[in-house]
Amino acid sequence: MSQDKNDTTESGAREGLLSALSALGLAIDMANGSPETTALRGTWVAVVAAEELGLSSQERAEAVLGALFRYLGCTSYAHEEARSLGDEHVAARVLAPLDKLDRGPIAKAVLQDLPGDAFERAMRAAKLMAEGAAFTAGYERSHCEGAMLLASRLGAGPGVLSVLAALHERWDGEGGPAKLSGSAIPVAARVVHLAREATVHFLLRGEEPGVVRCLERRAKGQLDPEMCRALASSPRFLGAFREGPLWENVQGAIDRALDAGCERGPTKGAVLERGCVYIAELQ
């Protein structure tokens, strides 16, 4: 009887944690000014990508949890973005779908879309171009640290934390904060990065052919070229951008990831206990 009661309590705690994490994803979208369901959709796209690429169960678990925490930590640089851009939502709406190394499109975007009159926009754009490397490095470091802090509070294992530490690393080595390149980047981190770029591109542009073009352009530079080639021709991956029910799909994926991740991370009970404490602190 006692065991049944414990199982029921753990099941209820897990269901509450899954719902809270999913709800936090929606809250982060609103805080960022991102299209609704960006966090959940990006997480689900990472799940499908990991499955289509044949990753191991452990790597799939790291990809789904890494994708979720990637979005939950992305407001960590909002103050600096607001100070530099005049509106932190500009980054989510305008700069998010651009490659940070494409200075021309970035300059055009900020001149057209930053708040203020023409002179103010020109001054902000010039400042951003002059401080672009430092601004990007600060964002990359802050985002990774914020996501890792949140994940560690919830008891994530070292595999998930290594994914979050490499969120902004690029295949060509021009990312950060550690300047990793190629296969030195954890495979789950490469999946999360690809899923994020594809998801943002789809949600802001609204078409699957645009996702394929994005993967083709970013291959070898920003993203793993073999992953790009495989997923650009995968009907299931391209269908993930519209697949539903999204809330239930993501919660199921997180649930499976917690099961698969228990071998190398904390126990299932520890994850639930820390998660419930953290959610209570947010209320």
Side-chain angles (χ1 to χ4, degrees), residues 201-264:
H201 210 86
F202 176 81
L203 291 176
L204 293 178
R205 308 287 169 82
E207 45 146 16
E208 288 84 350
V211 172
V212 174
R213 290 193 295 272
C214 171
L215 296 182
E216 290 173 346
R217 287 195 303 269
R218 306 289 174 89
K220 294 185 180 180
Q222 192 173 359
L223 305 174
D224 183 326
E226 292 186 10
M227 287 185 179
C228 288
R229 281 194 294 271
L231 295 174
S233 60
S234 166
R236 183 171 180 237
F237 174 75
L238 296 177
F241 299 97
R242 301 182 189 272
E243 187 176 354
L246 185 57
W247 183 278
E248 290 81 357
N249 285 347
V250 170
Q251 288 195 0
I254 298 170
D255 199 31
R256 294 191 298 274
L258 289 176
D259 283 331
C262 288
E263 296 175 3
R264 300 183 188 179

Side-chain angles (χ1 to χ4, degrees), residues 32-204:
N32 274 337
S34 300
E36 186 179 353
T37 74
T38 296
L40 294 182
R41 180 62 63 187
T43 300
W44 180 244
V45 169
V47 171
V48 174
E51 292 175 352
E52 287 294 281
L53 292 168
L55 270 60
S56 69
S57 61
Q58 184 68 34
E59 290 167 337
R60 292 199 302 271
E62 292 169 358
V64 63
L65 293 176
L68 179 64
F69 288 122
R70 180 243 178 271
Y71 288 99
L72 297 186
C74 66
T75 58
S76 56
Y77 209 59
H79 175 74
E80 290 79 1
E81 288 176 334
R83 184 177 58 192
S84 296
L85 302 174
D87 178 357
E88 70 272 25
H89 292 171
V90 171
R93 187 177 67 250
V94 177
L95 302 183
L98 301 177
D99 187 329
K100 70 169 189 175
L101 298 185
D102 290 341
R103 295 300 184 188
I106 290 177
K108 181 179 179 181
V110 296
L111 282 170
Q112 291 178 343
D113 294 289
L114 287 180
D117 58 31
F119 178 76
E120 290 173 324
R121 291 198 302 273
M123 292 298 293
R124 287 186 184 277
K127 187 173 185 294
L128 183 61
M129 290 299 102
E131 301 176 355
F135 179 85
T136 299
Y139 170 73
E140 291 171 346
R141 182 176 60 255
S142 179
H143 184 189
C144 291
E145 290 174 353
M148 291 172 70
L149 175 61
L150 176 58
S152 64
R153 290 288 299 275
L154 291 174
V160 175
L161 297 180
S162 70
V163 170
L164 297 175
L167 287 175
H168 296 283
E169 304 294 349
R170 294 169 54 107
W171 186 259
D172 59 11
E174 295 297 324
K179 298 295 183 184
L180 301 179
S181 64
S183 59
I185 304 169
V187 64
R190 283 178 261 158
V191 169
V192 171
H193 195 167
L194 184 154
R196 183 268 179 190
E197 296 303 315
T199 300
V200 168
H201 210 86
F202 176 81
L203 291 176
L204 293 178

